[in-house]
Amino acid sequence: MLERMKKLLDFYEEVLSMPHRTEIARELRDQDDLFLLLLYSEMIGIPNPVYYYTLELYPYMIEQFHDWHLRMGMEKSPMSGIRCC
Amino acid sequence: MSGILVAVIGIIVFALGYRYYSRFVADKIFRLDPNYVTPAHKYEDGVDFVPTNKFVLWGHHFSSVAGAAPIVGPAIAVYWGWVPAFLWVILGTVFAAGVHDFGTLVLSVRNKGQSVGTLAHRLIGQRAKVLFLFIILILVLMVNAVFAWVIANLFISYPASVVPIFIQIPLAVWIGFAVYKRKKKMLIPSLFALAVMYITAVVASKVDFLKIDLVQYMGGEGGDGLFGLGAVSTAFFIWIIILMVYVYIASTLPVWKLLQPRDFINSHQLVVGLAILYLGLLFTNPEITAPATNVDTDTSWFPLLFITIACGAISGFHGLVSSGTSSKQLNKETDARLVGYFGAVGEGVLALIAIIAVVTFFPSKEEFLATYSSFAASSGSGLGVFVEGASRLATGLMIPPEVATTIVSIIIISFAATSLDTSVRLMRYIIAELGVEYKMPALSKTHVATSIAVVASAALVLLPEGPKGFGSGGYLLWPLFGTSNQLLAGISLLLISIWLKRQGRNYMVTLIPMIFVLFMTLIAMFQQVVFEWSWFGSSSNTLLFIFGAIIFVFAVWIILTAFTTLTKNMNDSNIK
């Protein structure tokens, strides 16, 4: 009985949070996009004083970069310097 | 006749409609395929496209479409007697709204999760976009102006509801902080906030000191107000200014700070409200005193009944939700039946109890007819009668009448306030979009667009003398709301019919309700524009005539274009 009650409450909580989850996910994605822009700014012609350091992040960012260009509707990586697929 | 019996008949019809008719539509017409890869899976991005459990999605869909409208419409439409309103709610839900909401969902799922607006734009053409923006702009402007009046009116009529409503704001900010910054779960804090609101309501309805009654402060209804306006008008003026300042702040703040937490709290109220009303009905077992049909009317039920009850029977806005957010989250195509069709049934259940609450309230038929003496009178007092009728049902649960009245008015104010700040936000987006379209970048700035939205709404509320006295200017345009909304529903049904025809299937299930809805809407529009508002009409009104005529011409143009698309041979189709 208690287990069922808990399940019902979890379900209700999920219904409640569903429309808001989208909003938070969108905000997070915008922040990530901004971060990507900072990271790759040198490649699109924006001078980046910490370019040398951000270079070290590339191996960790490559998957996210791949997701990003797919989401933007580009099947292949748009930058010649980065080949992720 | 017993109210319970009417509710039981209605619910049985809804159940049969869902069990048999929706199954027939799902299997034979839409031919739902459990193996079809829905956009939620195909374009899964964790943001808009997320496969979701069907019951959770139903909950989201239902709470997005249910608001103040399924209560307000039926509360007014019982003017023509309870039987026509009851029949339109149950038959409209089963044969029109269910198919409409379900169909827009399936159409969108089969077209990459695109919304009805995008699909209509592709079908009817580029100019349709500006037309749609224009219609939506008028719709949200009307919602802003009328809901501001509704809230101000409820604050004045039920002063005990003011403190609980205002206490919700700091509670919502606190919840927003707890949920997003402290990563707490939202259920317990939002239930706590709701409990605080209701406890405040109980205290405020017992203690005179907590009733913020502006009219009494100025010496009662006959008292002097500011600027020679009289006490009641001044109270309206003050509440509307406060509301406009509030919506300005609420619609410019980040959503998680105020709007979303308020939504959490308010979404419980839908459950609480429905539970109180149906349980109350069961315990009080009231008799219906209103007449079954009222033939001695100053306004004909045909075609106005079908416009007055929009949400609760069929409403174009549901199609926007179905194709806007729900379609992007559908896990399996076969889930569409529960989410779309049963979502419409949920709304029908709300409209049904609204009808019962109103028609069982009066002690005798004569008293009903005295209050509902004319169509204008029923539009003015319908909502107030619902508050009283619903609180009478609540007394069956041992809730004292004055507390019940305050709680019911809080529920309606909360629904209306949520719609108000969302629609101001929407208006801001539309103004910004028009700014981009016409190369006026200043309009896309948040504060510029919000200022225009708020000032335009306030001007519409306060400047013209509306049919319900000072502060009700929004009602000048309100007659256009029902028709524009039904027009949207008709166009969505037309799109589904075009799609079904292209698939070589039987499209009568959507074509028949479409013809019905469009016929009623165009007749109502034509009657109002030509015979009422034009210079030789019965109640000449230049403002309504201009807006009404523009919408009417656009509507006819859209429908003709779309009909040409429906009838011509469609090999080269945009809609698959």
Side-chain angles (χ1 to χ4, degrees), chain A residues 9-27 29 71, chain B residues 45-48 50 52 55-57 59-60 180 185-187 255 260 264 267-268 329:
Chain A
L9 280 182
D10 283 346
F11 164 72
Y12 189 58
E13 168 109 28
E14 213 178 325
V15 170
L16 208 62
S17 61
M18 198 187 111
H20 312 291
R21 185 188 58 204
T22 305
E23 211 73 48
I24 300 164
R26 185 172 287 119
E27 204 143 297
R29 194 176 70 180
R71 178 153 54 81
Chain B
D45 63 355
V47 179
D48 295 314
V50 185
T52 307
F55 296 106
V56 176
L57 191 58
H60 157 70
Y180 295 120
K185 286 209 160 192
M186 61 179 83
L187 182 62
V255 275
Q260 287 188 356
F264 308 151
S267 52
H268 303 304
Q329 306 181 62

Side-chain angles (χ1 to χ4, degrees), chain A residues 3 11 16 18 21 42-43 61 63-66:
Chain A
E3 198 55 34
F11 164 72
L16 208 62
M18 198 187 111
R21 185 188 58 204
E42 195 82 3
M43 298 196 172
M61 299 298 295
E63 289 233 338
Q64 210 182 334
F65 177 79
H66 178 68

Side-chain angles (χ1 to χ4, degrees), chain B residues 175-289:
Chain B
I175 292 176
F177 186 77
V179 170
Y180 295 120
K181 295 290 169 188
R182 293 272 166 86
K183 311 277 178 236
K184 291 250 172 36
K185 286 209 160 192
M186 61 179 83
L187 182 62
I188 305 296
S190 56
L191 282 177
F192 170 75
L194 190 68
V196 171
M197 272 176 74
Y198 284 176
I199 291 169
T200 323
V202 173
V203 178
S205 47
K206 302 271 184 201
V207 183
D208 279 345
F209 167 71
L210 285 173
K211 291 180 182 150
I212 311 294
D213 193 343
L214 295 184
V215 178
Q216 283 304 323
Y217 296 162
M218 287 179 279
E221 286 191 17
D224 293 327
L226 306 170
F227 322 117
L229 274 174
V232 178
S233 297
T234 309
F236 263 110
F237 180 75
I238 295 172
W239 280 128
I240 282 164
I241 296 297
I242 292 174
L243 281 170
M244 289 298 156
V245 172
Y246 161 74
V247 289
Y248 188 97
I249 298 170
S251 64
T252 45
L253 277 179
V255 275
W256 65 267
K257 280 196 177 143
L258 181 60
L259 284 194
Q260 287 188 356
R262 271 200 41 196
D263 275 2
F264 308 151
I265 305 174
N266 290 345
S267 52
H268 303 304
Q269 301 211 44
L270 186 64
V271 182
V272 172
L274 272 176
I276 288 182
L277 293 180
Y278 272 96
L279 283 177
L281 177 69
L282 217 56
F283 285 113
T284 51
N285 188 16
E287 283 293 313
I288 292 181
T289 49

Side-chain angles (χ1 to χ4, degrees), chain A residues 18-43:
Chain A
M18 198 187 111
H20 312 291
R21 185 188 58 204
T22 305
E23 211 73 48
I24 300 164
R26 185 172 287 119
E27 204 143 297
L28 246 171
R29 194 176 70 180
D30 286 350
Q31 282 184 11
D32 280 350
D33 282 356
L34 190 67
F35 183 63
L36 268 180
L37 176 72
L38 289 175
L39 201 62
Y40 294 104
S41 58
E42 195 82 3
M43 298 196 172

Side-chain angles (χ1 to χ4, degrees), chain B residues 31-174:
Chain B
R31 295 184 200 162
L32 302 185
D33 176 6
N35 298 319
Y36 179 77
V37 183
T38 56
H41 288 283
K42 202 168 175 186
Y43 308 108
E44 186 171 351
D45 63 355
V47 179
D48 295 314
F49 294 91
V50 185
T52 307
N53 174 295
K54 63 179 175 180
F55 296 106
V56 176
L57 191 58
W58 177 80
H60 157 70
H61 184 81
F62 176 47
S63 57
S64 308
V65 296
I71 296 171
V72 181
I76 296 171
V78 289
Y79 169 61
W80 294 290
W82 67 268
V83 171
F86 171 72
L87 286 179
W88 172 230
V89 164
I90 57 170
L91 298 178
T93 298
V94 169
F95 294 107
V99 184
H100 168 267
D101 298 9
F102 182 14
T104 41
L105 188 60
V106 175
L107 178 69
S108 171
V109 164
R110 287 277 167 166
N111 284 280
K112 302 178 184 169
Q114 286 169 332
S115 70
V116 179
T118 316
L119 293 171
H121 173 193
R122 273 170 40 189
L123 182 81
I124 302 164
Q126 175 66 30
R127 267 179 295 176
K129 186 181 172 186
V130 179
L131 160 71
F132 270 101
L133 282 181
F134 178 74
I135 291 185
I136 297 171
L137 196 68
I138 296 184
L139 278 176
V140 289
L141 185 67
M142 281 187 280
V143 169
N144 292 347
V146 167
F147 280 32
W149 182 86
V150 165
I151 297 172
N153 185 35
L154 288 173
F155 276 159
I156 293 171
S157 309
Y158 307 101
S161 61
V162 176
V163 175
I165 287 289
F166 277 89
I167 217 166
Q168 195 186 20
I169 297 172
L171 286 170
V173 174
W174 165 70

Side-chain angles (χ1 to χ4, degrees), chain B residues 9-31:
Chain B
I9 295 173
I11 287 170
I12 288 176
V13 176
F14 287 147
L16 291 176
Y18 179 68
R19 175 76 182 78
Y20 296 104
Y21 188 59
S22 78
R23 173 158 293 277
F24 160 75
V25 174
D27 292 346
K28 304 282 183 225
I29 311 289
F30 294 144
R31 295 184 200 162

